[in-house]
C-alpha cells in the first residue's frame, strides 16, 4: 500500500496553498488542484518526507518545529499523513519543479473545486478544527527559511 504525506499551508489571511498538478495523463489527478505533498522514501519518517517534498518541489525549507501533524489515515489511495503549517510565502519567489503553478485559496474558493485525492475532505476538517481552536501554533514566528 502506498504511503505519503501532504500539508495544509495557511497564510496570515487564512488562505491555503494549493498547487495545480502537471497535465500529464500518466499521473494521478492531472491538471487538478491539490495540497502539496509526496510519497515516503524507504526508511523515511512522514515528518521528514513532507519537509523534503516541499524543499524539492518549491525550494522552501520548512523549519521542523513549524510543521504540525493534522491527521494520519488510510484513504482510498493509501496511507496519508497530513500536516499543517502557517507561513507567509511570496509565491512570485517560488520556483516550482513539479506542477504548473501555486495559488492561495480561501476556504470558500477551495470548496468550489473538485480537488485531487481526498483534499476537499482534508481541508474541510482543517478549517473546522481551526475554527474550534483545536489547532494551536507551536512554532515561533517564521517557520520558513529560504
Amino acid at each position: 500500500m502506498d504511503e505519503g504525506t501532504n500539508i495544509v499551508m495557511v497564510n496570515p489571511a487564512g488562505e491555503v496553498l494549493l498547487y495545480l498538478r502537471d497535465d500529464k495523463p500518466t499521473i494521478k489527478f492531472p491538471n487538478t488542484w491539490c495540497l502539496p505533498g509526496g510519497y515516503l522514501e524507504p526508511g523515511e519518517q512522514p515528518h521528514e518526507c513532507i519537509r523534503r517534498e516541499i524543499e524539492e518541489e518549491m525550494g522552501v525549507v520548512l523549519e521542523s518545529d513549524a510543521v504540525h501533524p493534522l491527521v494520519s489515515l488510510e484513504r482510498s489511495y493509501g496511507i496519508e499523513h497530513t500536516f499543517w503549517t502557517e507561513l507567509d510565502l511570496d509565491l512570485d519567489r517560488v520556483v516550482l519543479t513539479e506542477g504548473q503553478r501555486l495559488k492561495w485559496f480561501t476556504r470558500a474558493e477551495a470548496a468550489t473545486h473538485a480537488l485531487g485525492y481526498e483534499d476537499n475532505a482534508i481541508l474541510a476538517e482543517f478549517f473546522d478544527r481551526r475554527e474550534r481552536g483545536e489547532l494551536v501554533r507551536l512554532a515561533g514566528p517564521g517557520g520558513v527559511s529560504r
Side-chain angles (χ1 to χ4, degrees):
M1 176 171 284
D2 288 333
E3 186 171 5
T5 62
N6 64 12
I7 189 164
V8 179
M9 303 167 104
V10 61
N11 68 14
E15 300 165 318
V16 295
L17 186 65
L18 298 177
Y19 83 106
L20 185 60
R21 290 177 57 82
D22 289 314
D23 194 10
K24 298 177 182 176
T26 57
I27 66 171
K28 293 178 182 178
F29 302 101
N31 206 39
T32 303
W33 290 102
C34 293
L35 290 168
Y39 291 102
L40 273 78
E41 293 180 351
E44 189 175 42
Q45 294 300 310
H47 192 267
E48 298 166 332
C49 173
I50 194 57
R51 294 178 61 235
R52 174 187 53 78
E53 288 285 347
I54 297 306
E55 184 173 4
E56 287 177 0
E57 295 175 7
M58 297 181 197
V60 174
V61 177
L62 296 174
E63 300 298 330
S64 180
D65 62 353
V67 177
H68 314 289
L70 181 67
V71 65
S72 292
L73 286 175
E74 185 174 325
R75 299 193 181 274
S76 60
Y77 46 84
I79 298 170
E80 184 161 63
H81 306 278
T82 301
F83 297 90
W84 69 278
T85 191
E86 295 175 320
L87 75 158
D88 192 3
L89 184 63
D90 179 358
L91 299 186
D92 292 332
R93 298 185 60 190
V94 175
V95 178
L96 282 178
T97 60
E98 281 188 29
Q100 299 177 62
R101 68 185 180 113
L102 297 169
K103 183 180 176 195
W104 292 108
F105 285 78
T106 65
R107 180 180 189 166
E109 289 169 337
T112 65
H113 291 271
L115 305 178
Y117 299 95
E118 295 179 21
D119 290 354
N120 289 92
I122 292 168
L123 286 178
E125 178 180 354
F126 170 78
F127 281 114
D128 288 347
R129 289 181 61 188
R130 191 166 186 246
E131 287 174 7
R132 291 192 303 263
E134 295 177 14
L135 302 178
V136 179
R137 182 176 177 193
L138 301 174
V144 63
S145 61
R146 296 193 51 76

